[in-house]
Amino acid sequence: RHSRAKSFFIRSEPIQLYRFFVPLDVATDKRVIASAGAAAIAAVAPRSILTGSGGSGKSMIMRHILLSSLLTREKIPVFLELRTVDLQSGTLEDALVGSMNANGLEIDVAYFRLALAEGHFALLLDGFDELDKRSRDKVAAAVQSLAEKYPDNWIVLSSRPDPELHGWTAFTLLRVSPLSLDKAIALVERLDFDADIKTRFIKDLRSELFTRHQSFLSNPL
């Protein structure tokens, strides 16, 4: 389910993610993590908050992190869209277990907590900024509590930039890096579009177009 998505050019049906997605770099204040996958991010920041503006590709990167963690097999990935979480009727652990059970694993919260204590998971929490203020405060407290109680798991949370996130002292802030010229060209090459137009557009990118309109053309959307 998470390896397929709809793109701007193909909206009628979901297609394989890597037919239109180019793995993006992410950066801290001090370093760049190239084509960031789960293990590369965890090596720098096992608990991280991935930030980026609209259209920067956060949700696609989160899917890429999920798929990369399946390949490396270092941790069991659990992908959770935070807008589906209702802490009025349960805990964050309940929501994570519900996500796993919905995907065919039959476990209970007690077993999940034992596995959390052993550090078996990569918890991918998508769309923190999509929560309303009241829900956001509760989820923020729950995520930070989970990170403190079970420190050996990887956690990546995605959100638009928010000053409040700087107060999460146990988490490292990561920014989605803009597309470089090479990545912009790689993205255009993958688009299901007229080959002649793509060739001319890539030629223009290499000449002056990317330089003149970098703030626009460095955004994947």
Side-chain angles (χ1 to χ4, degrees), residues 5 11 22 27-28 32 49 78 80 83 87 95 99 111 120 131 134 139 150 175 179 184 189 202:
R11 304 185 188 190
V22 174
T28 68
V32 173
I49 301 172
V78 184
L80 182 64
R83 67 173 180 268
L87 295 186
S99 175
Y111 179 88
H120 287 315
L131 298 169
R134 184 178 179 184
V139 169
Y150 305 108
R175 298 182 305 276
L179 289 173
E189 287 174 337
I202 289 171

Side-chain angles (χ1 to χ4, degrees), residues 19-41:
R19 280 182 56 189
F20 67 89
F21 173 75
V22 174
L24 301 174
D25 302 341
V26 302
T28 68
D29 289 336
K30 296 182 178 180
R31 62 186 298 177
V32 173
I33 306 171
S35 301
I41 289 175

Side-chain angles (χ1 to χ4, degrees), residues 41 46 48-50 62 65 123-126 154-158:
I41 289 175
S48 58
I49 301 172
L50 180 67
M62 292 293 282
I65 294 170
L123 306 177
L124 310 177
L125 311 175
D126 190 32
W154 299 347
I155 301 177
V156 182
L157 177 141
S158 72

Side-chain angles (χ1 to χ4, degrees), residues 54-104:
S56 63
K58 294 187 301 298
S59 290
M60 293 298 104
I61 294 177
M62 292 293 282
R63 291 179 183 227
H64 167 64
I65 294 170
L66 167 65
L67 298 176
S68 69
S69 65
L70 290 171
L71 292 174
T72 60
R73 305 170 76 91
E74 291 186 49
K75 301 281 187 181
I76 300 166
V78 184
F79 191 98
L80 182 64
E81 294 176 322
L82 289 175
R83 67 173 180 268
T84 66
V85 174
D86 180 10
L87 295 186
Q88 300 285 351
S89 58
T91 66
L92 181 59
E93 289 97 325
D94 292 329
L96 290 163
V97 168
S99 175
M100 287 189 287
N101 287 342
N103 286 283

